[in-house]
Amino acid sequence: MVENINSKEAYDLLIEDKNAVLIDVRTKKEHLAVGVPNLREIGKETFLIEWKNSILPWSRKSFLNDFSENLGFDKDVKYIFICRSGIRSNFAALTVEESFISGNYNS
């Protein structure tokens, strides 16, 4: 089940759990406009895996391929997905959960 959490809860989870990972599913244009979360001070990095148009039939498969190439699939990791509004990150979290791993977070 995907659990919705706010940005403070997400940051606290990243600090407290060595297996927590942040995945930003926004577009490259959004990253250029507003930046990318900087987690260096807590010894982590933000993974940039864009969630493309969810209406297209290949979008889920494309996202899962990009996800696997960047992170693999590890049931011990807590994946935290973010985007501007929470909609794409929720799609991404649900896609990963339905395909491989449960217990994801949407922030």
Side-chain angles (χ1 to χ4, degrees), residues 62-76:
S62 174
F63 178 80
L64 288 171
N65 286 339
D66 292 345
F67 184 94
S68 178
E69 286 175 16
N70 283 277
L71 295 164
F73 294 100
D74 186 340
K75 292 187 183 292
D76 294 329

Side-chain angles (χ1 to χ4, degrees), residues 39-92:
L39 301 177
R40 278 184 248 143
E41 72 179 36
I42 62 170
K44 295 190 175 189
E45 68 177 298
T46 301
F47 291 89
L48 308 178
I49 307 173
E50 183 179 339
W51 177 263
K52 296 170 180 74
N53 190 339
S54 61
I55 297 171
L56 301 174
W58 52 265
S59 63
R60 288 172 47 103
K61 185 175 182 180
S62 174
F63 178 80
L64 288 171
N65 286 339
D66 292 345
F67 184 94
S68 178
E69 286 175 16
N70 283 277
L71 295 164
F73 294 100
D74 186 340
K75 292 187 183 292
D76 294 329
V77 173
K78 292 182 180 172
Y79 298 105
I80 303 167
F81 296 86
I82 63 165
C83 71
R84 184 180 55 82
S85 66
I87 295 171
R88 289 170 291 172
S89 54
N90 193 52
F91 275 121

Side-chain angles (χ1 to χ4, degrees), residues 26-38:
R26 296 174 297 161
T27 65
K28 290 176 182 159
K29 285 183 180 180
E30 287 175 292
H31 296 145
L32 292 172
V34 298
V36 175
N38 183 344

